[in-house]
Amino acid sequence: MADVHLRFRQSILQISDRIRSYFEGDRSNIDDLLVIQLTLVKYIKYYEKRISEIKAEEGQQKLKLKIGMVSKENAAIIKIRIKNFRYKKDHYKNSIYILRSLGDYIAFSLFDPWDLKPLTFSDSSGNISGKSGLRNEIKILKAIFSNGSECILNNITNTIRHGDITVNIEGFPLIMEIKSSSSEGKRASRQIENINNIMEYLYSGETTNIYGLEDRDEQKMIRVSAYKEPEYYISELQDAVTRAYEFGTGLVFVGNEAAIVASTDSKISLPANILDKWKSEEIRTQIINSYKFKIRSLTPFWMSFSSDSHVCDIYSGDLVVAIFLNISHLKRIAYTNDYNLDTLEDDEWAFSLAQVGEPENKMFISHIHMSRIFFEFLRPEWLIENSINTYETSNPLGNT
């Protein structure tokens, strides 16, 4: 199994290097981008096939136990086999996720992240293998490239969950739904309606039909501009990672707002340095490895870490990174802007911000937005100050 992991890592690094080379180059040979996508299709189909084979074999073994026609000793052996099957399935599913994260790398390099976010809110489109329209999708994909336009096959991403192909129209994502037959059922009509709603939102900047708003009376989502360019702590992240490879553990503070701990040990704990500096502060901790196979709608790690090898180590568990967020400091930042910041025990909202002396005048910051601190390495101070400034200058509806 170790050889399989090594070969997979080498393949991943080769693909990531080709993606980086394409987008850091002049992008004149767009056929390179087509070949990368077809390579991802090939690998994803391979791992989907392996999962299918394991499920079939697992079903046979379970049937033997159910029938009860095996000895006690053989039953114990079969249970071990079933446990191994589960491990293999999880391993292959994670491999598919990593492959699709490379598809996300392409998507986030082609399009604005904020245009991609509404495309993530839907169920996964499922397997590529056995998809009746895949051959036709690839045929159209090749035709678009041959016409000189960049595009992406949506099924090779974790992010784009509407439509089949997304075409790059001067940085704007044009979603295409490709049908393998002329018949349109209710599901097909619903898919097209959802795509039209998203396209309308991206064009107009307003919607009442996506993000679940269609189930809420008189609620509207409005897109507004940030008051200044986002600020990130990626250089501090890389400093912590570099120290981890050199000393085993690296600790770097991001001002008073956050701290990064990187470790090449599988275990990570709250360092004494943080306890000493922030001993009376309210701290929230996030180990990013815990969510590495669950991240959607956020910039993929390939675009944040300076080395693709480090990203592979995140996925393999050979590099662990934890972010310690100083909530008390963020509350002080909010207060200097005449707002009170409160943490919420809510499934949707992470923080509320209310004007000092006017507790009824509130805005809310979602968990999805706050997760940009942990997974896109957005500076926490910027998030709070931008939320307040954007709210006051553009007068949105109070949600970010």
Side-chain angles (χ1 to χ4, degrees):
M1 201 70 173
D3 285 343
V4 173
H5 291 181
L6 180 59
R7 289 201 304 272
F8 180 70
R9 180 189 179 97
Q10 290 171 337
S11 299
I12 288 297
L13 288 173
Q14 288 172 359
I15 297 170
S16 65
D17 182 64
R18 290 165 67 184
I19 295 172
R20 190 178 301 277
S21 296
Y22 176 79
F23 285 106
E24 290 182 357
D26 61 12
R27 291 166 66 168
S28 59
N29 189 4
I30 64 172
D31 284 345
D32 288 350
L33 190 58
L34 172 62
V35 172
I36 292 168
Q37 293 187 50
L38 296 179
T39 302
L40 286 172
V41 170
K42 181 183 72 173
Y43 279 115
I44 291 170
K45 288 178 68 175
Y46 168 77
Y47 285 108
E48 287 177 349
K49 182 180 178 182
R50 294 295 297 120
I51 291 173
S52 179
E53 291 170 349
I54 289 169
K55 282 183 176 179
E57 193 172 348
E58 182 182 32
Q60 292 177 357
Q61 298 297 325
K62 285 182 176 180
L63 182 61
K64 290 180 180 179
L65 288 179
K66 186 175 181 180
I67 295 174
M69 297 297 291
V70 293
S71 66
K72 188 175 181 180
E73 291 79 8
N74 285 340
I77 294 172
I78 288 174
K79 288 178 182 178
I80 293 173
R81 286 177 183 166
I82 291 172
K83 186 176 181 180
N84 288 335
F85 289 149
R86 290 171 186 162
Y87 165 76
K88 288 181 179 179
K89 281 192 299 182
D90 287 342
H91 168 66
Y92 292 137
K93 286 177 183 177
N94 291 342
S95 298
I96 291 172
Y97 179 92
I98 295 171
L99 289 164
R100 284 189 163 135
S101 76
L102 290 167
D104 294 333
Y105 187 179
I106 296 172
F108 275 79
S109 299
L110 288 173
F111 308 113
D112 188 299
W114 292 103
D115 286 343
L116 289 175
K117 291 183 188 298
L119 305 182
T120 68
F121 291 91
S122 182
D123 294 332
S124 172
S125 55
N127 288 350
I128 291 179
S129 305
K131 186 177 181 183
S132 59
L134 179 63
R135 182 176 296 181
N136 198 32
E137 289 171 23
I138 290 177
K139 182 179 178 181
I140 293 174
L141 186 82
K142 290 178 178 178
I144 294 170
F145 271 102
S146 67
N147 196 44
S149 297
E150 296 173 321
C151 60
I152 186 168
L153 187 67
N154 298 350
N155 264 131
I156 65 169
T157 75
N158 296 305
T159 299
I160 307 179
R161 299 192 167 197
H162 291 273
D164 299 308
I165 292 174
T166 304
V167 185
N168 181 9
I169 308 295
E170 297 182 354
F172 185 87
L174 177 64
I175 311 167
M176 297 178 62
E177 178 78 14
I178 299 166
K179 293 300 170 193
S180 56
S181 65
S182 59
S183 61
E184 289 191 7
K186 290 183 178 179
R187 182 173 178 272
S189 299
R190 186 170 63 250
Q191 288 172 335
I192 293 171
E193 181 183 1
N194 289 338
I195 291 172
N196 289 338
N197 289 336
I198 292 170
M199 288 289 95
E200 183 181 354
Y201 170 58
L202 294 179
Y203 277 119
S204 69
E206 298 184 8
T207 183
T208 58
N209 295 315
I210 64 174
Y211 293 121
L213 295 176
E214 61 272 20
D215 299 323
R216 305 178 186 181
D217 293 335
E218 299 181 355
Q219 289 213 23
K220 181 186 289 187
M221 178 74 72
I222 300 175
R223 294 219 296 182
V224 296
S225 299
Y227 86 107
K228 66 176 183 178
E229 287 294 312
E231 298 172 4
Y232 299 89
Y233 57 92
I234 290 176
S235 61
E236 291 91 340
L237 169 71
Q238 191 54 50
D239 191 9
V241 169
T242 299
R243 295 183 189 186
Y245 282 103
E246 187 173 356
F247 304 110
T249 300
L251 166 63
V252 174
F253 284 94
V254 183
N256 285 315
E257 50 196 305
I260 311 155
V261 177
S263 175
T264 52
D265 190 344
S266 59
K267 296 180 180 179
I268 202 165
S269 58
L270 188 64
N273 308 50
I274 296 179
L275 292 172
D276 291 341
K277 186 173 181 178
W278 293 342
K279 57 185 176 183
S280 59
E281 305 283 68
E282 179 186 351
I283 299 172
R284 180 172 296 182
T285 306
Q286 181 64 70
I287 298 176
I288 71 171
N289 301 66
S290 301
Y291 288 85
K292 61 191 177 187
F293 295 118
K294 301 176 183 177
I295 300 171
R296 280 196 295 126
S297 81
L298 298 175
T299 305
F301 289 146
W302 307 100
M303 303 179 75
S304 298
F305 287 80
S306 63
S307 169
D308 292 344
S309 182
H310 295 167
V311 179
C312 285
D313 286 345
I314 288 283
Y315 283 122
S316 67
D318 294 316
L319 174 65
V320 182
V321 176
I323 311 299
F324 298 88
L325 180 63
N326 188 339
I327 301 293
S328 298
H329 178 72
L330 298 187
K331 289 182 176 181
R332 290 190 290 269
I333 292 294
Y335 194 75
T336 61
N337 287 276
D338 296 321
Y339 279 80
N340 289 317
L341 173 72
D342 290 315
T343 56
L344 302 177
E345 297 295 328
D346 186 272
D347 291 338
E348 185 172 3
W349 306 112
F351 300 121
S352 69
L353 283 156
Q355 288 185 314
V356 174
E358 299 183 44
E360 72 286 349
N361 190 4
K362 287 186 177 181
M363 75 181 93
F364 297 90
I365 299 175
S366 67
H367 286 290
I368 293 174
H369 201 47
M370 189 196 71
S371 65
R372 296 183 66 205
I373 293 172
F374 300 119
F375 303 112
E376 292 186 334
F377 313 106
L378 184 74
R379 288 193 72 113
E381 285 187 7
W382 183 91
L383 177 69
I384 300 303
E385 290 176 348
N386 178 72
S387 297
I388 292 171
N389 278 275
T390 303
Y391 175 78
E392 291 182 340
T393 57
S394 57
N395 192 31
L397 303 179
N399 303 331
T400 63

